Amino acid sequence: MTATATRTILDDLCSSYLPFDAASPVWSDVTPTPQLESSSPMCPILYAPDYSSAMSLYRTLTSSNHESTLASPLAGLELSARALALTTHLIKLNASHFSVWQYRAQILLHSSQFEAQRSDILRAELAWLDDLAHSNMKSYQVWQHRRLVVAALGDPDGELRFVQENLQRDAKNYHTWGYRQWILAHFGGLTLASSSNVASKGAGEFKQLWDREAQYVDELLREDVRNNSAWNHRWFVHFSRYGLTGNRSMTSIDHLDIESIEKTIKFEKAYVRTWLCSVPNNASAWSYLRALHTAFPQALRSSMCHSLGWVKTLVSSEQEAKRDASVDAMGRACVGALEWWFDCLVEQTEHADQTQNERLLQQAELLVQRLCVADSVRTRFWAYRLKSLRRTLQQR
Protein backbone atom coordinates (compact mmCIF):
# COMPACT_ATOMS: atom_id res chain seq x y z
CA MET A 1 0.00 0.00 0.00
CA THR A 2 2.77 2.43 0.85
CA ALA A 3 5.65 3.51 -1.30
CA THR A 4 8.13 2.70 1.46
CA ALA A 5 9.50 -0.69 2.49
CA THR A 6 8.29 -0.33 6.09
CA ARG A 7 5.03 -2.14 6.71
CA THR A 8 2.41 -0.20 8.65
CA ILE A 9 -0.83 -0.94 10.43
CA LEU A 10 -2.68 0.35 7.37
CA ASP A 11 -0.98 -2.29 5.25
CA ASP A 12 -2.09 -4.97 7.69
CA LEU A 13 -5.68 -3.73 7.67
CA CYS A 14 -5.91 -3.60 3.88
CA SER A 15 -3.71 -6.55 2.91
CA SER A 16 -6.67 -8.90 2.38
CA TYR A 17 -8.21 -6.52 -0.16
CA LEU A 18 -5.20 -5.22 -2.07
CA PRO A 19 -4.14 -5.40 -4.82
CA PHE A 20 -7.71 -4.59 -5.79
CA ASP A 21 -9.69 -7.16 -7.75
CA ALA A 22 -13.39 -6.51 -8.29
CA ALA A 23 -13.92 -10.23 -9.00
CA SER A 24 -12.44 -11.27 -5.65
CA PRO A 25 -14.71 -13.22 -3.26
CA VAL A 26 -14.30 -10.42 -0.69
CA TRP A 27 -16.67 -8.33 -2.83
CA SER A 28 -19.15 -11.09 -3.64
CA ASP A 29 -21.80 -9.67 -1.29
CA VAL A 30 -21.68 -6.23 -2.94
CA THR A 31 -23.74 -5.59 -6.05
CA PRO A 32 -21.90 -3.03 -8.20
CA THR A 33 -23.73 0.21 -9.01
CA PRO A 34 -22.64 1.38 -12.46
CA GLN A 35 -22.50 5.05 -13.34
CA LEU A 36 -25.89 6.35 -14.43
CA GLU A 37 -25.71 7.46 -18.04
CA SER A 38 -28.08 7.73 -20.96
CA SER A 39 -28.13 4.95 -23.53
CA SER A 40 -26.17 7.09 -25.98
CA PRO A 41 -24.16 9.78 -24.13
CA MET A 42 -22.94 12.62 -26.31
CA CYS A 43 -19.43 12.51 -24.91
CA PRO A 44 -18.82 9.41 -22.78
CA ILE A 45 -15.82 9.39 -20.46
CA LEU A 46 -13.57 6.45 -21.25
CA TYR A 47 -12.77 5.33 -17.72
CA ALA A 48 -10.16 2.62 -17.28
CA PRO A 49 -11.92 -0.69 -16.51
CA ASP A 50 -10.09 -0.99 -13.18
CA TYR A 51 -11.27 2.46 -12.10
CA SER A 52 -14.81 1.94 -13.37
CA SER A 53 -15.26 -1.36 -11.52
CA ALA A 54 -13.90 0.13 -8.29
CA MET A 55 -16.20 3.14 -8.55
CA SER A 56 -19.19 0.85 -9.06
CA LEU A 57 -18.42 -0.83 -5.74
CA TYR A 58 -17.81 2.55 -4.11
CA ARG A 59 -21.26 3.78 -5.17
CA THR A 60 -22.88 0.75 -3.61
CA LEU A 61 -21.01 1.11 -0.32
CA THR A 62 -21.76 4.82 0.02
CA SER A 63 -25.40 4.51 -1.05
CA SER A 64 -26.02 2.11 1.82
CA ASN A 65 -26.33 5.12 4.11
CA HIS A 66 -30.14 5.16 3.77
CA GLU A 67 -30.60 4.57 7.50
CA SER A 68 -28.89 7.82 8.47
CA THR A 69 -30.60 10.41 10.64
CA LEU A 70 -29.60 13.78 12.03
CA ALA A 71 -28.69 12.05 15.27
CA SER A 72 -26.75 9.27 13.49
CA PRO A 73 -25.60 10.61 10.10
CA LEU A 74 -23.36 7.59 9.41
CA ALA A 75 -25.87 4.91 10.33
CA GLY A 76 -25.87 2.08 7.80
CA LEU A 77 -22.67 3.28 6.11
CA GLU A 78 -20.01 0.59 5.81
CA LEU A 79 -16.91 1.76 7.68
CA SER A 80 -14.78 -1.33 7.25
CA ALA A 81 -11.23 -2.30 6.40
CA ARG A 82 -12.27 -3.36 2.90
CA ALA A 83 -13.93 0.03 2.35
CA LEU A 84 -10.69 1.66 3.48
CA ALA A 85 -8.75 -0.50 1.02
CA LEU A 86 -11.13 0.49 -1.76
CA THR A 87 -10.50 4.19 -1.10
CA THR A 88 -6.76 3.50 -1.14
CA HIS A 89 -7.07 1.99 -4.60
CA LEU A 90 -9.28 4.79 -5.93
CA ILE A 91 -7.07 7.56 -4.55
CA LYS A 92 -4.08 5.94 -6.20
CA LEU A 93 -5.95 6.21 -9.50
CA ASN A 94 -7.45 9.66 -8.87
CA ALA A 95 -6.02 11.68 -5.98
CA SER A 96 -8.48 14.54 -6.52
CA HIS A 97 -11.74 12.64 -6.00
CA PHE A 98 -13.11 14.62 -3.05
CA SER A 99 -16.01 12.23 -2.34
CA VAL A 100 -13.63 9.31 -1.97
CA TRP A 101 -11.46 11.35 0.39
CA GLN A 102 -14.52 12.23 2.45
CA TYR A 103 -15.50 8.58 2.70
CA ARG A 104 -11.96 7.65 3.74
CA ALA A 105 -12.03 10.27 6.49
CA GLN A 106 -15.35 8.95 7.77
CA ILE A 107 -13.90 5.45 7.95
CA LEU A 108 -10.73 6.51 9.73
CA LEU A 109 -12.39 8.83 12.22
CA HIS A 110 -15.63 6.99 12.98
CA SER A 111 -15.24 3.26 12.37
CA SER A 112 -15.89 1.33 15.59
CA GLN A 113 -13.59 -1.42 14.28
CA PHE A 114 -10.61 0.91 14.58
CA GLU A 115 -11.44 2.41 17.96
CA ALA A 116 -8.68 0.67 19.94
CA GLN A 117 -5.98 1.42 17.36
CA ARG A 118 -7.23 4.73 15.99
CA SER A 119 -4.23 6.79 17.05
CA ASP A 120 -1.76 4.35 15.46
CA ILE A 121 -3.88 4.15 12.32
CA LEU A 122 -4.02 7.93 11.99
CA ARG A 123 -0.25 8.23 12.38
CA ALA A 124 0.21 5.59 9.69
CA GLU A 125 -2.21 7.56 7.54
CA LEU A 126 -0.10 10.67 8.03
CA ALA A 127 3.00 8.81 6.85
CA TRP A 128 1.06 7.54 3.82
CA LEU A 129 0.01 11.10 3.04
CA ASP A 130 3.63 12.30 2.97
CA ASP A 131 4.37 10.81 -0.44
CA LEU A 132 0.94 11.74 -1.75
CA ALA A 133 1.46 15.38 -0.82
CA HIS A 134 4.85 15.43 -2.55
CA SER A 135 3.38 14.05 -5.76
CA ASN A 136 0.04 15.91 -5.57
CA MET A 137 1.04 19.26 -4.12
CA LYS A 138 -1.69 21.18 -5.91
CA SER A 139 -4.46 18.84 -4.82
CA TYR A 140 -6.74 20.55 -2.32
CA GLN A 141 -8.14 17.17 -1.25
CA VAL A 142 -4.76 15.83 -0.11
CA TRP A 143 -4.11 18.84 2.12
CA GLN A 144 -7.65 18.95 3.48
CA HIS A 145 -7.48 15.27 4.43
CA ARG A 146 -4.14 15.84 6.14
CA ARG A 147 -5.75 18.65 8.11
CA LEU A 148 -8.51 16.32 9.33
CA VAL A 149 -6.01 13.66 10.37
CA VAL A 150 -3.71 16.05 12.24
CA ALA A 151 -6.68 17.72 13.94
CA ALA A 152 -7.91 14.31 15.10
CA LEU A 153 -4.46 13.46 16.47
CA GLY A 154 -4.25 16.83 18.18
CA ASP A 155 -0.49 16.97 17.68
CA PRO A 156 1.26 19.10 15.02
CA ASP A 157 4.72 17.68 15.73
CA GLY A 158 6.79 17.73 12.55
CA GLU A 159 4.12 19.41 10.43
CA LEU A 160 5.90 22.75 9.99
CA ARG A 161 9.02 20.86 8.96
CA PHE A 162 6.98 18.80 6.49
CA VAL A 163 5.49 21.96 4.98
CA GLN A 164 8.95 23.47 4.71
CA GLU A 165 10.10 20.46 2.68
CA ASN A 166 7.20 20.96 0.29
CA LEU A 167 7.82 24.70 -0.02
CA GLN A 168 11.39 23.92 -1.04
CA ARG A 169 9.85 22.16 -4.03
CA ASP A 170 7.29 24.88 -4.77
CA ALA A 171 7.75 28.07 -2.75
CA LYS A 172 4.44 29.60 -3.85
CA ASN A 173 2.04 26.68 -3.58
CA TYR A 174 -1.27 28.08 -2.34
CA HIS A 175 -2.46 24.87 -0.65
CA THR A 176 0.85 24.36 1.15
CA TRP A 177 0.84 27.90 2.52
CA GLY A 178 -2.79 27.59 3.53
CA TYR A 179 -2.01 24.41 5.44
CA ARG A 180 0.95 26.03 7.21
CA GLN A 181 -1.18 28.95 8.33
CA TRP A 182 -3.86 26.57 9.56
CA ILE A 183 -1.29 24.68 11.67
CA LEU A 184 -0.13 27.95 13.22
CA ALA A 185 -3.63 29.31 13.79
CA HIS A 186 -5.20 26.09 15.04
CA PHE A 187 -2.44 24.73 17.25
CA GLY A 188 -0.43 27.89 17.91
CA GLY A 189 -3.53 29.95 18.60
CA LEU A 190 -4.56 33.46 17.56
CA THR A 191 -4.92 36.64 19.59
CA LEU A 192 -8.27 38.05 18.51
CA ALA A 193 -10.76 40.52 19.95
CA SER A 194 -13.41 37.83 20.36
CA SER A 195 -11.69 34.47 20.63
CA SER A 196 -13.90 31.41 20.82
CA ASN A 197 -12.48 28.18 22.12
CA VAL A 198 -12.10 25.54 19.42
CA ALA A 199 -13.46 22.23 20.65
CA SER A 200 -10.62 20.22 19.17
CA LYS A 201 -7.83 18.23 20.71
CA GLY A 202 -4.64 20.28 21.02
CA ALA A 203 -6.16 23.51 19.70
CA GLY A 204 -4.20 26.54 20.91
CA GLU A 205 -1.87 24.43 23.06
CA PHE A 206 1.32 24.80 21.02
CA LYS A 207 2.20 28.50 21.29
CA GLN A 208 5.85 27.70 20.55
CA LEU A 209 4.96 27.06 16.90
CA TRP A 210 5.14 30.82 16.33
CA ASP A 211 8.64 31.20 17.79
CA ARG A 212 10.72 30.69 14.62
CA GLU A 213 8.16 31.73 12.06
CA ALA A 214 9.47 35.28 11.54
CA GLN A 215 12.99 33.91 11.11
CA TYR A 216 11.70 31.36 8.60
CA VAL A 217 10.10 34.11 6.50
CA ASP A 218 13.39 36.03 6.59
CA GLU A 219 15.17 32.99 5.20
CA LEU A 220 12.65 32.63 2.38
CA LEU A 221 12.94 36.30 1.41
CA ARG A 222 16.72 36.08 1.38
CA GLU A 223 16.35 33.22 -1.09
CA ASP A 224 13.82 35.10 -3.24
CA VAL A 225 12.83 38.62 -2.26
CA ARG A 226 10.07 38.56 -4.89
CA ASN A 227 8.31 35.63 -3.25
CA ASN A 228 4.87 37.19 -2.85
CA SER A 229 3.70 34.22 -0.76
CA ALA A 230 6.47 34.86 1.76
CA TRP A 231 5.52 38.54 2.00
CA ASN A 232 1.91 37.55 2.56
CA HIS A 233 2.96 35.10 5.27
CA ARG A 234 5.08 37.79 6.90
CA TRP A 235 1.92 39.87 7.34
CA PHE A 236 0.13 36.83 8.73
CA VAL A 237 2.87 36.26 11.32
CA HIS A 238 3.19 39.87 12.47
CA PHE A 239 -0.37 41.14 12.13
CA SER A 240 -3.11 38.75 10.99
CA ARG A 241 -2.60 36.54 14.03
CA TYR A 242 -3.79 39.50 16.10
CA GLY A 243 -6.82 40.15 13.92
CA LEU A 244 -5.14 42.88 11.84
CA THR A 245 -6.15 41.46 8.49
CA GLY A 246 -6.39 44.70 6.52
CA ASN A 247 -9.88 45.64 7.69
CA ARG A 248 -9.60 49.42 8.08
CA SER A 249 -13.02 49.63 9.75
CA MET A 250 -11.96 47.36 12.62
CA THR A 251 -13.08 49.11 15.80
CA SER A 252 -12.01 46.89 18.68
CA ILE A 253 -8.26 46.91 19.29
CA ASP A 254 -8.38 46.74 23.08
CA HIS A 255 -6.98 43.20 22.97
CA LEU A 256 -3.78 44.44 21.32
CA ASP A 257 -0.52 45.51 22.88
CA ILE A 258 -0.52 48.79 20.96
CA GLU A 259 3.03 49.75 21.91
CA SER A 260 4.36 46.40 20.70
CA ILE A 261 2.38 46.58 17.45
CA GLU A 262 3.63 50.11 16.77
CA LYS A 263 7.22 48.96 17.27
CA THR A 264 6.61 46.08 14.87
CA ILE A 265 5.14 48.42 12.26
CA LYS A 266 8.14 50.76 12.58
CA PHE A 267 10.57 47.87 12.23
CA GLU A 268 8.71 46.38 9.27
CA LYS A 269 8.75 49.70 7.43
CA ALA A 270 12.52 49.86 7.82
CA TYR A 271 12.82 46.20 6.83
CA VAL A 272 10.89 46.51 3.58
CA ARG A 273 12.64 49.77 2.67
CA THR A 274 15.97 48.00 2.94
CA TRP A 275 14.81 45.38 0.46
CA LEU A 276 13.36 47.99 -1.89
CA CYS A 277 16.68 49.82 -1.96
CA SER A 278 18.23 46.59 -3.25
CA VAL A 279 15.39 45.54 -5.58
CA PRO A 280 13.24 48.63 -6.32
CA ASN A 281 10.89 47.04 -8.87
CA ASN A 282 9.41 44.49 -6.50
CA ALA A 283 5.62 44.72 -6.53
CA SER A 284 5.22 42.42 -3.51
CA ALA A 285 7.42 44.60 -1.31
CA TRP A 286 5.61 47.76 -2.43
CA SER A 287 2.26 46.18 -1.57
CA TYR A 288 3.60 45.24 1.85
CA LEU A 289 4.88 48.77 2.50
CA ARG A 290 1.58 50.25 1.37
CA ALA A 291 -0.31 47.98 3.76
CA LEU A 292 1.95 49.07 6.63
CA HIS A 293 0.65 52.61 6.08
CA THR A 294 -2.96 52.12 5.08
CA ALA A 295 -4.30 48.68 6.09
CA PHE A 296 -4.69 49.24 9.83
CA PRO A 297 -7.47 50.70 11.97
CA GLN A 298 -7.32 54.48 12.33
CA ALA A 299 -5.30 54.38 15.56
CA LEU A 300 -2.43 52.55 13.85
CA ARG A 301 -2.69 54.00 10.35
CA SER A 302 -0.22 56.52 8.94
CA SER A 303 -0.12 58.73 5.88
CA MET A 304 1.73 57.48 2.83
CA CYS A 305 3.24 60.95 2.67
CA HIS A 306 5.36 60.11 5.71
CA SER A 307 7.51 57.93 3.46
CA LEU A 308 7.42 60.18 0.40
CA GLY A 309 10.82 61.74 1.05
CA TRP A 310 12.47 58.33 1.04
CA VAL A 311 10.43 57.16 -1.95
CA LYS A 312 11.67 60.07 -4.06
CA THR A 313 15.26 58.92 -3.58
CA LEU A 314 14.47 55.84 -5.69
CA VAL A 315 13.60 57.82 -8.83
CA SER A 316 14.94 60.75 -10.79
CA SER A 317 13.81 64.23 -9.81
CA GLU A 318 11.13 66.21 -11.66
CA GLN A 319 13.81 68.42 -13.20
CA GLU A 320 15.76 65.43 -14.54
CA ALA A 321 12.61 63.89 -15.99
CA LYS A 322 11.71 67.15 -17.74
CA ARG A 323 15.19 67.37 -19.29
CA ASP A 324 15.34 63.73 -20.39
CA ALA A 325 12.26 61.49 -20.47
CA SER A 326 14.46 58.44 -21.06
CA VAL A 327 15.38 58.39 -17.35
CA ASP A 328 12.01 56.69 -16.86
CA ALA A 329 12.24 54.28 -19.78
CA MET A 330 10.84 50.84 -19.00
CA GLY A 331 13.18 48.96 -16.72
CA ARG A 332 15.16 52.01 -15.62
CA ALA A 333 12.63 53.75 -13.36
CA CYS A 334 10.98 52.39 -10.22
CA VAL A 335 7.29 52.15 -11.09
CA GLY A 336 6.32 51.45 -7.48
CA ALA A 337 7.99 54.67 -6.31
CA LEU A 338 6.34 56.79 -9.02
CA GLU A 339 2.96 55.28 -8.22
CA TRP A 340 3.49 55.97 -4.50
CA TRP A 341 4.36 59.57 -5.33
CA PHE A 342 1.19 59.94 -7.40
CA ASP A 343 -0.96 58.48 -4.61
CA CYS A 344 0.59 60.91 -2.15
CA LEU A 345 -0.42 63.80 -4.40
CA VAL A 346 -3.97 62.46 -4.48
CA GLU A 347 -3.93 62.22 -0.69
CA GLN A 348 -2.67 65.79 -0.36
CA THR A 349 -5.50 67.16 -2.52
CA GLU A 350 -7.98 66.02 0.13
CA HIS A 351 -6.74 68.71 2.51
CA ALA A 352 -5.59 71.45 0.12
CA ASP A 353 -7.24 74.64 -1.12
CA GLN A 354 -7.94 75.43 -4.78
CA THR A 355 -4.59 77.09 -5.44
CA GLN A 356 -2.69 74.22 -3.88
CA ASN A 357 -4.77 71.69 -5.79
CA GLU A 358 -3.89 73.34 -9.10
CA ARG A 359 -0.21 72.94 -8.27
CA LEU A 360 -0.73 69.35 -7.14
CA LEU A 361 -2.62 68.57 -10.34
CA GLN A 362 0.28 69.87 -12.43
CA GLN A 363 2.64 67.58 -10.52
CA ALA A 364 0.23 64.68 -11.02
CA GLU A 365 0.12 65.32 -14.77
CA LEU A 366 3.92 65.18 -14.95
CA LEU A 367 3.96 61.99 -12.88
CA VAL A 368 1.43 60.33 -15.16
CA GLN A 369 3.60 61.23 -18.15
CA ARG A 370 6.51 59.56 -16.40
CA LEU A 371 4.43 56.52 -15.47
CA CYS A 372 3.31 56.10 -19.07
CA VAL A 373 6.98 55.90 -20.03
CA ALA A 374 8.05 53.69 -17.13
CA ASP A 375 4.98 51.45 -17.23
CA SER A 376 3.74 51.69 -20.80
CA VAL A 377 1.69 48.48 -20.52
CA ARG A 378 -0.71 50.35 -18.22
CA THR A 379 -0.81 53.63 -20.12
CA ARG A 380 -4.60 53.66 -20.27
CA PHE A 381 -4.82 52.91 -16.56
CA TRP A 382 -2.66 55.90 -15.68
CA ALA A 383 -4.70 58.10 -18.00
CA TYR A 384 -7.80 56.92 -16.15
CA ARG A 385 -6.23 57.72 -12.77
CA LEU A 386 -5.44 61.26 -13.91
CA LYS A 387 -8.91 61.73 -15.38
CA SER A 388 -10.47 60.56 -12.10
CA LEU A 389 -8.36 63.02 -10.12
CA ARG A 390 -9.38 65.91 -12.38
CA ARG A 391 -13.05 64.98 -12.05
CA THR A 392 -12.78 64.80 -8.26
CA LEU A 393 -11.13 68.22 -8.02
CA GLN A 394 -13.75 69.78 -10.31
CA GLN A 395 -16.55 68.53 -8.08
CA ARG A 396 -15.13 70.15 -4.96
Side-chain angles (χ1 to χ4, degrees), residues 305-326:
C305 295
H306 291 170
S307 293
L308 182 57
W310 169 80
V311 167
K312 288 182 177 180
T313 65
L314 299 179
V315 292
S316 302
S317 66
E318 291 179 322
Q319 291 73 23
E320 291 174 308
K322 288 179 180 178
R323 286 197 304 268
D324 182 8
S326 66

Side-chain angles (χ1 to χ4, degrees), residues 357-369:
N357 278 339
E358 290 176 358
R359 177 179 55 81
L360 291 170
L361 181 58
Q362 291 175 357
Q363 294 181 43
E365 290 171 344
L366 176 59
L367 272 175
V368 167
Q369 291 176 16

Side-chain angles (χ1 to χ4, degrees), residues 200-221:
S200 179
K201 183 180 177 182
E205 296 179 5
F206 297 84
K207 305 292 185 184
Q208 70 275 14
L209 290 175
W210 292 102
D211 292 348
R212 287 197 69 259
E213 206 61 14
Q215 179 182 340
Y216 175 59
V217 177
D218 281 342
E219 293 169 359
L220 288 177
L221 290 175

Side-chain angles (χ1 to χ4, degrees), residues 6 13 21 26 36 124 157 163 189 191 203 210 214 225 230 236 241 246 263-264 309 315 325 369:
T6 305
L13 287 171
D21 180 6
V26 299
L36 183 61
D157 182 49
V163 171
T191 304
W210 292 102
V225 71
F236 179 81
R241 63 185 288 196
K263 287 181 179 178
T264 301
V315 292
Q369 291 176 16

Side-chain angles (χ1 to χ4, degrees), residues 18-38:
L18 293 175
F20 173 77
D21 180 6
S24 171
V26 299
W27 299 107
S28 60
D29 62 319
V30 181
T31 302
T33 303
Q35 180 166 301
L36 183 61
E37 288 186 323
S38 64

Side-chain angles (χ1 to χ4, degrees), residues 26-215:
V26 299
W27 299 107
S28 60
D29 62 319
V30 181
T31 302
T33 303
Q35 180 166 301
L36 183 61
E37 288 186 323
S38 64
S39 57
S40 56
M42 180 178 296
C43 185
I45 300 175
L46 300 178
Y47 294 112
D50 191 30
Y51 180 77
S52 182
S53 60
M55 281 300 300
S56 294
L57 292 172
Y58 163 80
R59 293 187 195 95
T60 301
L61 293 184
T62 53
S63 64
S64 64
N65 196 23
H66 58 274
E67 301 175 14
S68 65
T69 63
L70 289 176
S72 302
L74 301 181
L77 188 65
E78 181 173 327
L79 305 175
S80 64
R82 72 171 179 179
L84 182 65
L86 180 62
T87 64
T88 300
H89 175 68
L90 285 169
I91 288 169
K92 182 179 178 181
L93 297 176
N94 180 8
S96 296
H97 199 309
F98 60 89
S99 297
V100 174
W101 279 110
Q102 182 185 31
Y103 186 34
R104 185 178 183 87
Q106 290 170 337
I107 297 168
L108 291 169
L109 300 179
H110 303 292
S111 174
S112 58
Q113 297 180 25
F114 304 155
E115 189 66 40
Q117 300 174 296
R118 197 176 312 280
S119 180
D120 292 337
I121 292 173
L122 290 176
R123 293 197 179 282
E125 178 78 354
L126 206 56
W128 180 68
L129 285 169
D130 287 354
D131 290 335
L132 271 177
H134 289 323
S135 57
N136 297 275
M137 290 182 63
K138 296 187 183 297
S139 170
Y140 164 80
Q141 290 78 16
V142 172
W143 291 103
Q144 172 63 16
H145 186 74
R146 190 179 188 93
R147 180 183 298 196
L148 293 174
V149 172
V150 174
L153 286 169
D155 183 3
D157 182 49
E159 287 304 288
L160 291 184
R161 183 170 58 254
F162 174 76
V163 171
Q164 183 174 347
E165 292 172 0
N166 280 274
L167 289 175
Q168 288 172 350
R169 299 165 182 244
D170 183 356
K172 300 179 182 180
N173 188 300
Y174 174 82
H175 300 303
T176 313
W177 277 112
Y179 181 74
R180 188 179 189 91
Q181 292 186 354
W182 173 78
I183 288 290
L184 291 165
H186 183 79
F187 290 105
L190 301 174
T191 304
L192 305 177
S194 56
S195 298
S196 56
N197 294 326
V198 179
S200 179
K201 183 180 177 182
E205 296 179 5
F206 297 84
K207 305 292 185 184
Q208 70 275 14
L209 290 175
W210 292 102
D211 292 348
R212 287 197 69 259
E213 206 61 14
Q215 179 182 340

